[in-house]
Structures are given as structure tokens and as C-alpha cells.
Amino acid sequence: MTTNHSASQSKETLLLRVLVFTLIISVMNGMMFNVVLPVISIQFQLTASQSSWIVTGYLIVYAIGTVTYGKLTDRYSMKHLITFGLLLLAAGSVIGIVATQYWMIIVARIVQAAGAAVIPALAMIIPVRYFSPKKRGQALGTSAIGIALGSALGPIVAGLISSVLSWQFLFVIPLLSLATLPFYRKYLDDDRGVSEKMDYIGGLTLAGTVAALLLSLTQSNLWFLMTGIVFLILFILRIRYAEAPFVKPAVFYNKPYAIGMGIAFVLVAIGFGIPFITPQLLAQVHGFSPALTGMIMLPSALVAALLGRKGGKLADEKGNPFLLYTASVLLIIGFICLSFVISASPIWIAVFLILAVLGQSYMQIAMSNTIAQTLPKEHIGIGMGLLSMFNFIAASVSTAALGKVLDRGATSVHLNPWIEVKSAFVYSNIFVVLALCVAAMLLFYVLQYGRKPVVDLQVRQNS
């Protein structure tokens, strides 16, 4: 029995290590192209909003795919799903390596995202299915290390590779995930959940809603907006009347959950503006290469990786409101200070990026815990799955909106009167507005939740 127990622990440990490695590759793949967007824009003569679709298009497919793979585990084994996903990720990478036109890059990123979306789905299911409740928190915490390390390594790896070789070699990195496939094939079992009819129509209408609305934002096109509204109406009707809807509507009737999702959406969108706007700022105002950009962004990502667990402990020991207030203060101070040092030494940009990125990390932990507390046990899976999807959509909205702002070019308006370099006005303005948005959402959070545990709101609502 002792031998079997030791073998089981060894299997769990190895599976978790493989998962962490896969998460690092996945997160790097999502982050790396932020750094080289200015280079790609120049090579293909693109506007900021056009180049942002290299990131935005990836995130749209990634968001829908995360929920889809999660639902497919009820019908197919994780072993087969991870095999399909990693092979699809590799296929997209090969397309990107040989890409000679902009549309080929977009196709490559979409195919990559369709495959890579299996990884976050797997990261949520493996700790639940393969670890006991006593070890589940540790497993989820270890998975978070993969995300943090991927965020830290992405910018610097992208900068070095694109400087020494070419940005197209960034498509080689995801191919490393194929090395994990034999381990997944060996250690994942063939079990599947309770089989449930897949609502493909609901999934397609949801995907159509997200894609059309984001296209309306980036293209400033009324027809896309109307199309998105039509898809949204069809999606609502579908989940209301389908026998097994893609998303169960009951979860949206939970008022604390719905409010929390709204707050999280805005705050995540604000946070995801940091990795998109920083490379643009360093390239346009300071003329930095991708390698130097990666070096400036690296310290903030490393600090977030090192202190990420501390945020979780703060939430456990002092409550989610305390962590959210801490995150808000870090973000507001970071954004305001960045608005002052836009045209100063890049060292100061690196310093204050640490505050902003750490604030972003703590904010995501705080809102995830807050929203989890609003959900009854039977809605935890779908509720947190939707949160994951909304996070990716928020990131897409953020990059698309900021891309449109940057498309307008230099402005004579400067909200921070101490900034004198005209090329820095627009970036300084963005940071000031982001700080104000964080302050507004913090006030809204206090008015809705105060310092009381959100779980109490849920208990009172159910009673």
C-alpha cells in the first residue's frame, strides 16, 4: 500500500510539473507578441489597431476555446483533448514560421489559440480530478507559478529572439509544448465526465457575439455592432430554451456574482492595458528595440511572480477587500507615477511598472476570490469558467480600445501639465485615465460590498 501511495504521489508531482511547463509556454505565447508589435507594424505598414489583432484575435479564440474545451471534457477524455490541442497549437506555429503576409500571421495566431485554449482548461480540471481536497490548493498555487513565470519570461525572450534572429522565430517556442505530450498520454487516464449534449449553436452564437462586438470596436463599424447585438439576442434565447444550454442562465440570476463580474471585467481590462501600451510607449517615445523593451518589462513581471503567492496569503489572512484595496493603491500610484516619467529615464518606467503589474496581479487574485465566494457549490464550475472567458475578452477589449486611441497619433491635450514632450502626451493621458478608472471601480466596489465578506451577501440572498 505504501508503494502504491508513493507511486501515486510521484505521478501527481510529475503531472503537475508537466502542467507548469505547459502553462509557461502557453502564457509566453500569449505575451511575446506584445513586445514585437511595433516591429511587425513597420514591416507590414500597419496601424496600431491593425497590429493589435495579432493579440486580440488570439484572445478572442482563446477565450471561447477555454470554455469549449472545459465542456468537451464531459464527452471526451482529457488525454485525447490535450493531444488534439497541442497538435493544433503546433500546426498554427508552423504556419507562423513560414508567414510572409499579415493575413498569414493572423491565421497562424487563430489556429494557435484554438489549440492552446486546451491548456488553461486542463489547468483547472487536473487539480480537481487528480488531487485530494487537502492538496488542491497547493496544486492550484503551483499552476499559478507557471502563469507568473510565463509572464516574466515572455517579454525578455521575445526581445532577445526578435533582436538576434527575427520575430518569426517566436512561433518556434510553442513547438516545445510537444515535448510534454508523451507524459500527458502516459499519466492522464481515459475517464470522462457525465456525458451531456453539447450545445454547439449556443457556443457559435456566443463566439459570434464576442467577435462581432470587438470588430465593431476596432473598425468603428455600425454593421458589426448590429451583428453583435443580433448574435447576443440569439445567444440569450438559445440558453433560455435549449435543453442543455452552452451556459446555464441560472448563474446570471445571482446578483452579487453579476456585479462582481462587471467590476472584474473593467479592472482586468485596465490591467491588461499595461503589457500592450508599454512596448508601444518605449518604441515610440524612446525608440527602444524589442530587446531593450523586454529588459524594461522584465523586473515587474519577476516581482509579480515572486510575490504572487503573498497576494493569496493576504486574501486568506485579511480578506479579499484588503487585497483589493492594496491592489488598487498599487495600480493608482503606479499609473500616476508612470504618467510623470513617460519621457524621463526608462529606469523610472521600469520601477513604476513594478507597482502597476503587481497591482494587476493582486487585483486578479482578489476578484477571483470575491467572485468565487458569490457562487453556490453547484455553480462554481460554470461561474469560474465564465470568469476566465471574460478575462480574455476584457483583455481583447483593452488592446482594441487602446489601439484605436494610439491610431489618432500625437495630441496637443495633456492631462498631466508637467509633461512637456508632445510625443508622450497620449501615453501620459492614458495612464491618468486608467488611474481614474481604477479609483472609480474601487468606489463602486466599496458601495456594493464594503468590508463584509461577499459570501455573507450570497447567504442572505439565498435566504
Side-chain angles (χ1 to χ4, degrees), residues 42-298:
I42 293 173
Q43 180 174 336
F44 293 96
Q45 298 182 339
L46 306 172
T47 64
S49 63
Q50 287 174 327
S51 65
S52 71
W53 270 100
I54 296 173
V55 176
T56 302
Y58 183 92
L59 290 172
I60 292 173
V61 179
Y62 201 72
I64 301 299
T66 300
V67 177
T68 303
Y69 278 115
K71 294 182 73 67
L72 286 175
T73 56
D74 289 336
R75 306 191 67 187
Y76 305 98
S77 70
M78 288 199 295
K79 179 186 295 185
H80 293 148
L81 287 175
I82 190 65
T83 301
F84 174 80
L86 292 183
L87 290 177
L88 198 59
L89 172 60
S93 300
V94 172
I95 296 173
I97 291 172
V98 300
T100 56
Q101 298 183 47
Y102 175 60
W103 67 267
M104 294 179 67
I105 300 174
I106 298 299
V107 170
R109 293 291 282 167
I110 289 175
V111 175
Q112 275 192 327
V118 72
I119 298 171
L122 201 72
M124 289 187 289
I125 295 171
I126 283 181
V128 174
R129 188 172 293 184
Y130 289 88
F131 290 82
S132 65
K134 293 182 179 179
K135 297 181 178 179
R136 199 166 292 163
Q138 181 181 354
L140 290 169
T142 305
S143 297
I145 294 176
I147 297 174
L149 287 176
S151 300
L153 293 174
I156 187 65
V157 170
L160 290 174
I161 289 179
S162 60
S163 296
V164 176
L165 299 171
S166 165
W167 59 264
Q168 284 180 286
F169 281 88
L170 297 181
F171 283 103
V172 176
I173 300 296
L175 294 177
L176 297 176
S177 63
L178 292 178
T180 66
L181 196 51
F183 296 97
Y184 284 124
R185 297 291 299 177
K186 180 178 181 180
Y187 293 108
L188 290 178
D189 54 41
D190 293 312
D191 292 345
R192 50 181 87 174
V194 179
S195 181
E196 187 179 72
K197 183 179 179 181
M198 185 68 176
D199 182 19
Y200 293 103
I201 296 177
L204 289 173
T205 53
L206 178 59
T209 301
V210 174
L213 291 179
L214 285 173
L215 281 170
S216 72
L217 177 63
T218 57
Q219 304 297 323
S220 301
N221 190 304
L222 182 61
W223 289 107
F224 280 128
L225 176 61
M226 295 174 62
T227 302
I229 293 173
V230 170
F231 270 116
L232 178 60
I233 294 172
L234 292 175
F235 172 70
I236 293 173
L237 292 174
R238 179 66 184 178
I239 64 173
R240 283 178 63 88
Y241 298 108
E243 181 181 350
F246 191 82
V247 177
K248 296 179 180 179
V251 71
F252 295 115
Y253 300 150
N254 180 342
K255 185 178 178 181
Y257 171 78
I259 293 173
M261 288 285 280
I263 296 174
F265 184 89
V266 176
L267 291 175
V268 169
I270 293 170
F272 267 99
I274 301 171
F276 174 72
I277 193 175
T278 303
Q280 307 283 342
L281 157 67
L282 293 172
Q284 296 297 325
V285 178
H286 295 276
F288 274 22
S289 66
L292 288 174
T293 296
M295 292 297 293
I296 294 297
M297 297 177 68
L298 179 62

Side-chain angles (χ1 to χ4, degrees), residues 311-333:
K313 290 182 179 180
L314 285 174
D316 291 337
E317 295 172 0
K318 298 190 177 182
N320 292 322
F322 178 84
L323 182 61
L324 186 133
Y325 300 150
T326 302
S328 298
V329 170
L330 288 172
L331 280 170
I332 292 172
I333 294 176

